[in-house]
Amino acid sequence: MNTEADVNDFIQNGYQEYLTHLSIDPVILGYHQQQLKILLLKWKGYKDWGLPGGFIKQREPLSKAAHRILKEKTSLSNLFLQQFYVFGDSPYRVQERSPQEFRDKFNLQVEDDNWLLKRTIAIGYFALVDYSKVRVQTDFFTEDYQWWDVAAVPKLLFDHNEAIDKALLTLRLQIYHQPIGYNLLPEKFTLPEIHSLYESILGKELDQRNFAKKLIALGLIQKLEERRSIGAHRSPYLYQFVKEKYEQALQEGIVHTY
Amino acid sequence: MNTEADVNDFIQNGYQEYLTHLSIDPVILGYHQQQLKILLLKWKGYKDWGLPGGFIKQREPLSKAAHRILKEKTSLSNLFLQQFYVFGDSPYRVQERSPQEFRDKFNLQVEDDNWLLKRTIAIGYFALVDYSKVRVQTDFFTEDYQWWDVAAVPKLLFDHNEAIDKALLTLRLQIYHQPIGYNLLPEKFTLPEIHSLYESILGKELDQRNFAKKLIALGLIQKLEERRSIGAHRSPYLYQFVKEKYEQALQEGIVHTY
DNA sequence: ACAAAAGTGTTGTCTTTACACCCATGG
DNA sequence: CCATGGGTGTAAAGACAACACTTTTGT
């Protein structure tokens, strides 16, 4: 959606292709340099940053729509992608927008009843992605993108800060029941990497010995013979997830504390 | 909504009052005679039973809508009510219905583009209610209602079985992080009652001594001097929730195993 | 040789689990 | 007096939490 004709068609006729009143707002989390990062977009006409977003096609299954939108934004498929909340309470999610607002932001004229002015209820999804593989696409509505440390997210558009808080809370709760990391780390990773990932997610320090013991005792990860030479100092061993155990734990759940 | 005029107006003009494409489907759980029960409705024109349902008003906050719908169906307010999943994948949730189908079910003629024929994405909420206080309202579309043991739910309409499974799964996970029972039990209850409630929810036996010890150690419930005389046999003591501890546990979460 | 990061075990404490008998009451 | 359901404690096992020193390697 980058030519002017495409954009106009989307604005005028998008209601035929997409469901009105509904959007999918993905919280895209990656991990890089010991920090949990979130992908935010700079929306045209707004000074604050915001989450990506997308609409559901008329006959598209909801989960397909979520995957499609993620792919459009990040070029990644087969992500870990999960619903975490539906947002329909904040003032922004209740009121319609005005054509003036639309003109101010995008310099485009629309009718009062244009579908893009309607209230949208947002289905929040969070995605865990391999930071290094993401190739972000921008479009007419989104001018720029940037990865932010989740600990330093600025004030965002609409209720997006709330959405991120909720996504992180869900992730923190979930980490006690399900293994997490498969989609956030490269295939082979070191103990310090996964250790620090878990510390980032939980926002607290975890004893390195107990942490490694636990993951290995659960059989979730296994040590490889390879090591990584990062430069100075002792080279860390590489580990990988034991896929079967990981899948099993996703299904059946685990209870533990780290 | 019981007069013919009301129903006709709802069908023809409801799209002005309500958001299209979206419904709220509540899984209403109660507890009675040692069984976890679910409230199901008999929808006009369908042979299978189904969940209650409702629509969101144009400018109504989502959570208000959920509470309103619950109140309309059960006459209860201030319920424990929580989103658990959005359903938008099953074939029924993707395809539009036909006017024929509508005529067959309700004996009413509608146009091809009637709002009630459109695909609906359902926001699943579960409600925990005090069984004894529910007064069910039926209407034009729902002819009858019945409480079912969750262990013996029949084949239901659309994807409603899936919704119930997901609701129960969510509840089971949640019970490890949050106290549950405040809204399912009367104000004063006995240890055997809450014990059996937890067994119903978790679907497994819990040691009675350990269970009581745990709840008391957490400070969630307290013993009263009163006893209940149920008839034959030793009279059980009554307990009640310690509201402050309960609220605190809801907020902060707990980790335990029962 | 020094600085920086990785690797590795043990112990005490707390939590969890398993388990069975007596008591009270109504019929 | 008997049948039914309610109440109560202890001990063994397992899980968790706390803790520090040695090894490796590049500069």
Side-chain angles (χ1 to χ4, degrees):
Chain A
M1 182 159 67
N2 287 309
T3 73
E4 198 178 319
D6 280 354
V7 171
N8 262 312
D9 185 56
F10 173 77
I11 292 169
Q12 298 306 326
N13 305 314
Y15 72 93
Q16 293 173 351
E17 184 172 4
Y18 297 101
L19 300 185
T20 51
H21 302 306
L22 268 173
S23 71
I24 287 179
D25 288 17
V27 172
I28 302 173
L29 300 172
Y31 185 66
H32 185 60
Q33 289 183 338
Q34 322 264 83
Q35 290 182 325
L36 194 62
K37 303 274 195 183
I38 180 168
L39 183 65
L40 296 177
L41 299 181
K42 186 76 174 55
W43 288 81
K44 188 182 182 111
Y46 292 92
K47 81 173 200 305
D48 294 328
W49 291 72
L51 292 177
F55 296 102
I56 302 157
K57 294 187 182 176
Q58 288 288 350
R59 299 216 168 170
E60 183 179 40
L62 181 62
S63 60
K64 277 238 175 89
H67 281 281
R68 172 181 54 77
I69 290 164
L70 252 289
K71 183 159 191 186
E72 285 169 9
K73 303 290 175 192
T74 65
S75 77
L76 290 180
S77 32
N78 289 317
L79 300 165
F80 179 93
L81 187 56
Q82 184 186 301
Q83 291 181 17
F84 66 93
Y85 200 67
V86 183
F87 297 89
D89 278 344
S90 85
Y92 168 80
R93 303 251 165 244
V94 172
Q95 287 179 348
E96 309 216 328
R97 268 83 76 198
S98 67
Q100 279 87 328
E101 189 184 336
F102 205 84
R103 195 171 55 229
D104 295 347
K105 304 301 180 203
F106 308 116
N107 200 28
L108 290 168
Q109 188 65 44
V110 295
E111 299 295 312
D112 272 3
D113 64 346
N114 185 280
W115 71 293
L116 289 173
L117 300 180
K118 296 200 186 297
R119 114 184 237 200
T120 59
I121 287 184
I123 304 176
Y125 273 80
F126 66 84
L128 306 181
V129 307
D130 183 345
Y131 175 95
S132 65
K133 294 197 181 132
V134 172
R135 299 287 167 268
V136 180
Q137 303 291 320
T138 56
D139 60 25
F140 174 81
F141 293 99
T142 55
E143 299 177 316
D144 196 8
Y145 72 93
Q146 193 176 310
W147 287 95
W148 299 73
D149 182 353
V150 289
V153 171
K155 180 185 166 299
L156 303 179
L157 295 176
F158 320 133
D159 57 355
H160 289 178
N161 290 94
E162 192 191 332
I164 292 174
D165 291 346
K166 194 101 187 176
L168 291 174
L169 189 65
T170 306
L171 186 60
R172 274 177 205 139
L173 270 185
Q174 197 151 327
I175 209 170
Y176 290 111
H177 289 300
Q178 290 194 343
I180 280 177
Y182 196 84
N183 303 272
L184 280 166
L185 294 169
E187 196 188 341
K188 296 174 182 178
F189 51 85
T190 67
L191 278 186
E193 281 170 347
I194 189 171
H195 174 233
S196 126
L197 167 63
Y198 273 64
E199 287 189 335
S200 305
I201 292 175
L202 291 171
K204 67 180 183 192
E205 292 196 357
L206 301 171
D207 182 276
Q208 66 177 318
R209 282 168 286 195
N210 295 337
F211 178 78
K213 247 183 291 175
K214 183 108 197 190
L215 285 188
I216 292 165
L218 287 167
L220 286 176
I221 62 173
Q222 69 186 184
K223 195 179 196 170
L224 303 173
E225 281 314 305
E226 296 172 75
R227 291 160 162 245
R228 171 183 297 160
S229 299
I230 353 179
H233 326 307
R234 186 173 184 171
S235 309
Y237 282 98
L238 289 171
Y239 284 75
Q240 69 185 10
F241 284 103
V242 180
K243 193 99 198 286
E244 307 79 53
K245 286 276 185 182
Y246 192 93
E247 297 292 340
Q248 185 190 340
L250 274 181
Q251 296 296 316
E252 299 172 8
I254 42 184
V255 177
H256 54 183
T257 51
Y258 296 108
Chain B
M1 180 157 67
N2 287 309
T3 72
E4 199 179 318
D6 280 353
V7 171
N8 261 314
D9 185 56
F10 173 78
I11 293 169
Q12 298 306 326
N13 304 315
Y15 72 92
Q16 291 173 352
E17 184 172 5
Y18 297 102
L19 301 184
T20 51
H21 302 307
L22 268 174
S23 71
I24 289 181
D25 288 17
V27 173
I28 302 173
L29 299 172
Y31 185 65
H32 186 59
Q33 290 183 338
Q34 320 264 82
Q35 289 182 327
L36 194 61
K37 302 274 194 182
I38 180 168
L39 182 65
L40 297 177
L41 300 180
K42 188 75 175 54
W43 287 80
K44 190 184 180 102
Y46 291 94
K47 81 172 200 306
D48 293 327
W49 291 71
L51 291 177
F55 295 104
I56 302 157
K57 293 186 181 176
Q58 289 287 352
R59 298 217 169 169
E60 184 178 39
L62 180 62
S63 59
K64 279 237 174 86
H67 281 281
R68 173 181 53 77
I69 290 164
L70 253 287
K71 183 159 191 187
E72 286 168 8
K73 303 289 176 195
T74 65
S75 76
L76 290 180
S77 32
N78 288 317
L79 300 165
F80 180 93
L81 186 57
Q82 184 187 302
Q83 292 180 16
F84 67 92
Y85 200 68
V86 184
F87 297 89
D89 277 345
S90 85
Y92 167 81
R93 303 250 163 242
V94 172
Q95 285 179 348
E96 308 216 329
R97 269 83 76 198
S98 68
Q100 280 87 327
E101 189 184 336
F102 204 83
R103 197 171 53 231
D104 295 345
K105 305 299 180 204
F106 308 116
N107 199 29
L108 290 167
Q109 188 64 43
V110 294
E111 300 295 313
D112 272 3
D113 65 347
N114 185 281
W115 72 294
L116 290 172
L117 300 181
K118 296 200 187 297
R119 111 183 240 199
T120 59
I121 287 185
I123 304 176
Y125 273 80
F126 67 84
L128 306 181
V129 307
D130 183 346
Y131 176 94
S132 65
K133 294 198 180 130
V134 173
R135 300 288 168 269
V136 180
Q137 304 291 321
T138 56
D139 61 25
F140 175 83
F141 293 98
T142 55
E143 299 177 317
D144 195 7
Y145 73 94
Q146 192 176 312
W147 287 95
W148 299 73
D149 181 354
V150 290
V153 170
K155 180 185 167 298
L156 303 179
L157 296 176
F158 320 135
D159 57 356
H160 289 178
N161 290 95
E162 192 191 330
I164 292 175
D165 291 346
K166 194 102 186 175
L168 290 175
L169 189 64
T170 306
L171 187 60
R172 273 177 205 138
L173 270 185
Q174 197 150 325
I175 209 170
Y176 289 110
H177 288 300
Q178 289 195 341
I180 279 178
Y182 196 83
N183 304 272
L184 280 166
L185 292 169
E187 198 188 340
K188 297 173 181 178
F189 51 85
T190 67
L191 278 187
E193 281 170 347
I194 189 171
H195 175 233
S196 127
L197 167 63
Y198 273 65
E199 286 190 336
S200 305
I201 292 175
L202 291 171
K204 67 179 182 194
E205 292 196 356
L206 302 170
D207 182 275
Q208 65 178 320
R209 281 169 287 198
N210 296 336
F211 178 78
K213 246 183 293 176
K214 183 106 197 191
L215 285 188
I216 292 165
L218 287 168
L220 286 176
I221 61 174
Q222 70 186 183
K223 196 181 197 169
L224 302 174
E225 281 314 305
E226 296 171 75
R227 288 157 165 249
R228 171 182 297 160
S229 298
I230 356 179
H233 325 308
R234 186 173 184 173
S235 311
Y237 283 97
L238 289 172
Y239 284 75
Q240 68 184 10
F241 283 104
V242 179
K243 193 101 197 287
E244 305 79 54
K245 286 277 185 182
Y246 192 94
E247 297 292 340
Q248 186 191 341
L250 274 181
Q251 296 296 316
E252 299 172 8
I254 41 186
V255 177
H256 52 182
T257 49
Y258 297 106

